[in-house]
Amino acid sequence: MNDLLCYFRSVSWFVFFSLLLAGTSWSQEIGAGLDTQSPVAIEADELTYDEATSTYRASGQVQLHKGGVSLLSDRIEWNTATGEASAKGHVRLVEPGGLLEAENMVIDLDSGTGRMTNGHILLSDRNFHIAGAEIEKLGEQTYQVRDGFFTTCDGPVPSWKFGARKFNVTLGKYARAKHAIFYIHNIPVLYTPYLIYPVKTERESGFLNPRYGYSKKRGTEISLAYYQVIDRHLDATFYLDYLSDMGLGKGLEYRYIFGEDNEGILKGYHINGFQDFDNRYAFDWLHFGHLPGKVRLAADVEYVSSRDYFDDFGEVAGEYNKDKAQSVVTASRNWEKMNLTGLLKYTKDLEQNNDQTLQRLPEIDLASGLRHFDETPFYFDFGSSYTYFWRQEGVKGQRLTARPALSALFHAGRLFEVQPEVGYTERLYWTSEEGPGHEREGIFDFSNRLVTRFSRVFVPDGEVIKKIRHSIEPELVYSYISPENQDHLPQFDAVDDIGPENKIALAIVNRFTARLEPEADNVIYHEFLYLRLSQEYDVRESRRDRLNPQDDLRPFSDIRAEVILRPTRWSYLDVDTRYDVNSREDGFNRFTVFNARGGVRNGAGNGLDLEYRYRKESLGYLAGALDMAWFKPFYVNYQHRYDFEEQLTLERVLNIEYRAQCWSIFLTLRDRLEDKEYLVTFALSGVGKLTEFGGSLGGPEG
């Protein structure tokens, strides 16, 4: 209750400030279809012409058309000399940008200026309504309204509106009013001595809609934002936030597009902490584009001062529970059959001492595509990599790897393909440890792949599904890696310890592809089911000496099953599981891995998504999301995450939106392990979010 009192004590002044600086914008010009060169056509039940005054007088379902504009009324007088038209009774001015209605109207058909009584203007692009006892069109895009209101709501009694004795509206710029009142239906709820409301579509510098809120974690929140147009393809947003329980936040979001294929977003945020609250900051950069010389540049950079930043500002799973912040910048250059890639990868460990975290600064990879020896079945491949491993504490070093490989492709008639390959991996090291300063090791590898394919076409002859092709693709692979002692090599990552291998792998792939003909001359091929079963046999394991009688041989690997099911455009199911054939356990305990995710949606806002992940003795996790639009205008979203290993709920989130035609109110209830909170947000169509507040629901204090 204290949270609500704290909110309502300050909301009135904040809403006034929000309306003063609100930043949503649009523009449509009523009368834009008028053209001085266009001819005028009049239709009416009765039509007369006064030659002395050059005036047409029409009555009875009168329609006057000029260019893209139609003027309809009970009676119309049009002076051909002055271009002025006077309309009385059920006046309607219809044009592509919207609709104008009034009891009486006088309009200059050449300039578009005019005046009307008891008028109503609708700008159809954004459903913006202007109404008043008197409306005068002062210029091409400027109106003056007396005893009127404006809103984005439909109906004779709008859900909300701003009213004033007098206000001006300039399309493409602003609506300005003195002594304005905000109404909910016809009930006045807020007074503001001065109001500026944007009605523009073009990008324009200015203040955006302020935001107000309250939460148990951050306290009272007031956020101001200023949008700056720098150039046609450049803009920036500056943020200034007051968080009563944390500090003063400053932020920048810079967006750019250079040329046709260089674009990115640069973000930065910093908080000056109050009292015992530490300063915190974050930096984020996302970029895709090209450098001179056909070099492709990509960046995904994220850096934070500490994990507390994600705890305080993360809103969804995957943000507030992050344990690492990772930055990757890559530059690559492709030739016909050669690719050169440079990479900088920096990882900040947010849970442990980051001084010992291994960084790749840089890593450079050079790879050639398969090169075919003409008139032979043989191919040559080469890949190399240089990596500098750096950290503040611990062993640093450099590693150079190179792997040339020779392969071939043989066809045994039309039945089999045979693909043997032999390669050699050489690794060279230079480290900061005392000793010889460098190490090296080379390892041979060999593989041979045997594949074939069978298929059959079925003809169900349905209305849409005309044919179904079922293909079976058996695959047999033998792989061998020579055993070498690598204890003398530094251990930076998995490349430094390549284990010996002598395995035979068997896989069978089933594909089901449908030929769809939803319309004449429109053919779609849709693979609705992919099923792959695979298993390996370890020859080395089968020959291992058993010193301990209880130590059973396990030459057969787990059976792996992969399923991708897409029965309709509204449903999906993906399964990846491994089954232990050597286990003596029963039932589900034989599964070492079981990952599945699936969902169904009806295209009308209703849907269910489920994800289950299981790894024997280490992970059991279920996540679900439910969307319901059956209770319109109420829209419901529920999310749930549960840990089976710990037998506890990680998070429950309930989002409820009441969506009216021109406003919405949002309620979010969030229950996490150490935080239970609610958040209420109110938004107006055309304005955006005006206020939001929240607080604790009985979770831990702080």
Side-chain angles (χ1 to χ4, degrees):
M1 181 61 68
N2 290 334
D3 296 340
L4 294 175
L5 293 176
C6 177
Y7 166 71
F8 284 114
R9 277 197 296 264
S10 54
V11 68
S12 296
W13 283 105
F14 175 77
V15 170
F16 154 70
F17 195 52
S18 299
L19 301 176
L20 184 66
L21 300 177
T24 309
S25 58
W26 55 79
S27 171
Q28 281 290 335
E29 180 188 347
I30 295 291
L34 292 173
D35 184 353
T36 58
Q37 304 300 322
S38 299
V40 175
I42 301 178
E43 300 177 14
D45 294 339
E46 295 183 8
L47 179 63
T48 62
Y49 177 68
D50 187 339
E51 187 173 354
T53 60
S54 301
T55 301
Y56 283 94
R57 293 182 175 87
S59 61
Q61 299 183 357
V62 185
Q63 297 184 29
L64 185 152
H65 305 281
K66 183 176 184 181
V69 174
S70 297
L71 179 62
L72 296 79
S73 180
D74 294 339
R75 296 186 301 277
I76 293 179
E77 292 186 1
W78 173 48
N79 189 306
T80 59
T82 63
E84 185 177 271
S86 175
K88 296 181 180 180
H90 302 97
V91 181
R92 289 168 56 88
L93 182 69
V94 183
E95 64 94 42
L99 171 67
L100 190 153
E101 298 177 313
E103 288 185 2
N104 304 308
M105 176 189 297
V106 176
I107 183 172
D108 188 323
L109 295 179
D110 294 332
S111 66
T113 60
R115 59 191 180 277
M116 66 204 76
T117 58
N118 294 327
H120 171 256
I121 300 173
L122 169 62
L123 305 179
S124 56
D125 182 48
R126 296 296 183 98
N127 204 60
F128 186 66
H129 297 261
I130 304 172
E134 296 181 8
I135 300 178
E136 185 174 0
K137 194 171 189 295
L138 303 177
E140 185 177 351
Q141 291 185 303
T142 302
Y143 297 86
Q144 186 178 86
V145 184
R146 295 181 182 275
D147 296 328
F149 66 86
F150 60 86
T151 181
T152 59
C153 301
D154 293 333
V157 182
S159 297
W160 67 265
K161 63 183 179 182
F162 293 107
R165 293 295 300 272
K166 179 182 177 181
F167 62 88
N168 290 347
V169 178
T170 301
L171 304 182
K173 293 186 178 180
Y174 297 94
R176 291 179 169 88
K178 293 181 179 180
H179 307 294
I181 298 176
F182 178 67
Y183 293 84
I184 295 180
H185 293 286
N186 282 330
I187 302 174
V189 296
L190 181 67
Y191 164 81
T192 175
Y194 190 72
L195 171 67
I196 298 178
Y197 191 95
V199 282
K200 52 193 176 183
T201 50
E202 296 297 325
R203 294 189 310 156
E204 184 173 303
S205 300
F207 286 98
L208 301 180
N209 181 35
R211 294 178 61 190
Y212 171 86
Y214 179 83
S215 68
K216 193 70 175 178
K217 181 182 294 184
R218 297 187 285 267
T220 300
E221 303 177 43
I222 299 178
S223 177
L224 303 178
Y226 182 82
Y227 176 72
Q228 177 65 48
V229 178
I230 303 173
D231 202 346
R232 182 179 179 183
H233 303 298
L234 302 173
D235 58 43
T237 305
F238 301 88
Y239 300 92
L240 181 63
D241 302 334
Y242 170 78
L243 312 173
S244 63
D245 290 350
M246 289 187 176
L248 190 65
K250 295 86 62 187
L252 168 67
E253 183 172 337
Y254 173 69
R255 294 162 293 272
Y256 58 87
I257 299 177
F258 299 133
E260 298 182 355
D261 55 1
N262 281 276
E263 60 182 276
I265 301 177
L266 187 67
K267 301 178 183 179
Y269 196 80
H270 177 266
I271 298 179
N272 290 102
F274 291 163
Q275 299 177 354
D276 297 332
F277 189 85
D278 296 333
N279 290 357
R280 294 173 187 172
Y281 58 88
F283 176 81
D284 188 90
W285 179 37
L286 189 65
H287 173 88
F288 298 97
H290 284 88
L291 297 175
K294 299 182 180 180
V295 176
R296 178 71 172 172
L297 177 66
D300 188 355
V301 175
E302 181 181 56
Y303 187 86
V304 295
S305 55
S306 65
R307 182 172 182 175
D308 293 335
Y309 185 89
F310 290 130
D311 289 340
D312 294 332
F313 295 98
E315 296 295 335
V316 297
E319 289 184 358
Y320 63 78
N321 56 354
K322 274 188 176 181
D323 58 359
K324 292 180 181 179
Q326 194 169 85
S327 300
V328 179
V329 179
T330 61
S332 61
R333 174 68 160 88
N334 287 296
W335 292 269
E336 285 189 12
K337 292 188 176 181
M338 187 73 68
N339 181 70
L340 177 64
T341 302
L343 175 147
L344 297 173
K345 184 177 181 180
Y346 182 86
T347 302
K348 182 167 184 177
D349 194 320
L350 302 176
E351 291 188 329
Q352 302 179 13
N353 182 7
N354 193 63
D355 292 343
Q356 298 178 0
T357 302
L358 205 60
Q359 316 295 347
R360 298 171 182 262
L361 304 171
E363 178 176 310
I364 302 174
D365 298 317
L366 177 65
S368 69
L370 285 174
R371 295 182 178 271
H372 185 208
F373 293 106
D374 293 339
E375 307 300 330
T376 73
F378 296 100
Y379 297 82
F380 177 75
D381 185 20
F382 177 80
S384 63
S385 174
Y386 166 81
T387 307
Y388 176 64
F389 296 99
W390 178 89
R391 53 189 161 193
Q392 287 185 316
E393 297 180 3
V395 178
K396 309 174 185 64
Q398 304 172 67
R399 181 182 68 203
L400 177 64
T401 66
R403 182 183 180 272
L406 181 66
S407 60
L409 176 61
F410 301 102
H411 294 275
R414 296 184 178 181
L415 190 58
F416 295 102
E417 289 184 359
V418 183
Q419 302 174 17
E421 179 181 278
V422 59
Y424 177 79
T425 302
E426 178 70 25
R427 291 163 295 168
L428 303 174
Y429 295 85
W430 298 265
T431 68
S432 60
E433 288 185 320
E434 296 182 1
H438 67 275
E439 297 287 350
R440 63 172 297 274
E441 188 62 66
I443 295 180
F444 282 98
D445 64 89
F446 171 77
S447 67
N448 194 10
R449 182 170 178 262
L450 178 67
V451 296
T452 187
R453 182 178 294 106
F454 308 95
S455 65
R456 181 179 178 182
V457 175
F458 300 90
V459 185
D461 198 23
E463 293 185 4
V464 177
I465 302 177
K466 299 300 182 181
K467 296 180 181 180
I468 295 177
R469 183 179 64 192
H470 175 206
S471 64
I472 302 176
E473 304 169 13
E475 176 183 273
L476 182 66
V477 178
Y478 173 74
S479 58
Y480 175 84
I481 299 177
S482 62
E484 302 291 346
N485 186 348
Q486 301 166 69
D487 294 341
H488 59 292
L489 300 180
Q491 298 296 308
F492 294 121
D493 58 22
V495 177
D496 304 318
D497 188 13
I498 303 175
E501 189 173 288
N502 190 1
K503 294 181 179 179
I504 301 173
L506 175 64
I508 299 178
V509 175
N510 284 263
R511 300 178 188 269
F512 292 84
T513 305
R515 176 188 168 103
L516 309 177
E517 298 182 14
E519 300 174 355
D521 300 326
N522 183 20
V523 177
I524 300 174
Y525 292 94
H526 173 61
E527 183 176 284
F528 61 90
L529 177 59
Y530 171 91
L531 171 62
R532 186 177 191 271
L533 295 174
S534 60
Q535 188 180 30
E536 295 179 348
Y537 179 80
D538 193 329
V539 178
R540 285 176 51 85
E541 173 69 8
S542 67
R543 297 174 178 175
R544 178 171 57 86
D545 293 333
R546 289 176 293 173
L547 300 179
N548 186 343
Q550 302 299 321
D551 185 13
D552 295 334
L553 295 178
R554 302 171 62 91
F556 288 99
S557 71
D558 296 346
I559 296 177
R560 181 179 182 181
E562 301 166 81
V563 179
I564 300 176
L565 178 62
R566 299 291 185 270
T568 68
R569 58 182 300 187
W570 308 112
S571 58
Y572 70 96
L573 175 65
D574 298 335
V575 178
D576 186 358
T577 183
R578 291 168 176 81
Y579 183 82
D580 187 356
V581 296
N582 301 293
S583 175
R584 296 178 179 177
E585 299 179 276
D586 298 325
F588 191 82
N589 292 325
R590 281 186 167 231
F591 286 95
T592 57
V593 173
F594 191 94
N595 297 326
R597 65 185 187 95
V600 59
R601 296 192 171 274
N602 66 353
N606 301 293
L608 174 65
D609 295 278
L610 293 174
E611 179 181 6
Y612 177 73
R613 288 187 289 169
Y614 168 81
R615 187 178 299 112
K616 192 172 184 179
E617 298 179 355
S618 64
L619 176 66
Y621 171 88
L622 176 66
L626 175 65
D627 292 295
M628 291 187 294
W630 291 311
F631 310 109
K632 294 179 181 180
F634 288 95
Y635 296 82
V636 179
N637 169 263
Y638 178 72
Q639 304 169 38
H640 194 111
R641 300 191 302 121
Y642 185 82
D643 188 330
F644 287 97
E645 291 295 315
E646 300 294 333
Q647 294 187 349
L648 55 83
T649 296
L650 301 176
E651 181 182 49
R652 289 179 293 182
V653 180
L654 176 63
N655 296 293
I656 302 175
E657 176 190 1
Y658 177 81
R659 187 183 303 170
Q661 183 262 332
C662 57
W663 62 274
S664 294
I665 187 168
F666 304 84
L667 171 64
T668 298
L669 305 176
R670 183 178 288 114
D671 180 5
R672 298 175 181 166
L673 292 176
E674 300 179 356
D675 189 16
K676 296 178 176 65
E677 62 182 10
Y678 68 91
L679 181 68
V680 179
T681 305
F682 179 68
L684 299 181
S685 174
V687 177
K689 293 182 179 179
L690 276 184
T691 60
E692 62 181 23
F693 69 94
S696 173
L697 285 171
E701 297 291 329

